[in-house]
């Protein structure tokens, strides 16, 4: 079985992170992306964030079986909607092949 997850990396002091946090879960639910979502604060999880290779905040990483599939950087709602849509497509393809 495929293990999928989303990692949202941000910081409490980051304005764009707060913007993304305001709509990210709503959009994921709207796109029917129902997988674990992990929130990492750069100040509290420095080593994990460094291992992911985060250069700008906020960064959202979609992983499948602990390997990065896609990455989103920024806080533009329309761009995040497209990113979430691509995850939804990936998950539906995963499901289709699992049931084949």
């Amino acid at each position: 079985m495929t293990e999928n997850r989303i990692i949202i990396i941000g910081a409490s002091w980051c304005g764009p992170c707060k913007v993304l946090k305001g709509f990210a879960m709503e959009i994921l639910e709207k796109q029917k992306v129902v997988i674990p979502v992990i929130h990492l604060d750069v100040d509290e999880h420095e080593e994990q964030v460094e291992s992911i290779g985060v250069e700008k905040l906020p960064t959202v990483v979609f992983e499948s079986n602990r390997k990065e599939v896609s990455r989103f950087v920024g806080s533009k709602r329309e761009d995040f909607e497209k990113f979430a849509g691509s995850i939804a497509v990936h998950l539906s393809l995963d499901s289709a092949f699992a049931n084949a």
Side-chain angles (χ1 to χ4, degrees):
M1 182 165 172
T2 306
E3 182 184 327
N4 298 302
R5 68 182 187 166
I6 293 171
I7 305 170
I8 300 176
I9 302 116
S12 60
W13 46 262
C14 168
C17 300
K18 292 175 186 175
V19 170
L20 178 73
K21 188 176 184 179
F23 60 74
M25 297 308 292
E26 169 197 334
I27 290 173
L28 291 171
E29 289 173 17
K30 183 177 162 186
Q31 297 275 1
K32 300 194 181 351
V33 176
V34 184
I35 58 175
V37 176
I38 298 163
H39 295 269
L40 293 180
D41 186 294
V42 294
D43 296 322
E44 296 173 15
H45 302 279
E46 283 183 54
E47 287 183 26
Q48 279 182 285
V49 170
E50 192 174 302
S51 72
I52 295 170
V54 174
E55 295 180 14
K56 293 182 180 181
L57 296 177
T59 296
V60 183
V61 177
F62 168 54
E63 290 185 344
S64 183
N65 292 328
R66 302 281 178 171
K67 291 189 168 74
E68 183 174 327
V69 174
S70 59
R71 178 178 291 228
F72 173 82
V73 178
S75 59
K76 288 188 178 176
R77 185 181 183 99
E78 329 54 74
D79 294 343
F80 189 78
E81 286 174 342
K82 291 176 190 171
F83 174 73
S86 71
I87 294 172
V89 169
H90 180 92
L91 295 175
S92 66
L93 289 173
D94 253 7
S95 177
F97 283 111
N99 296 327

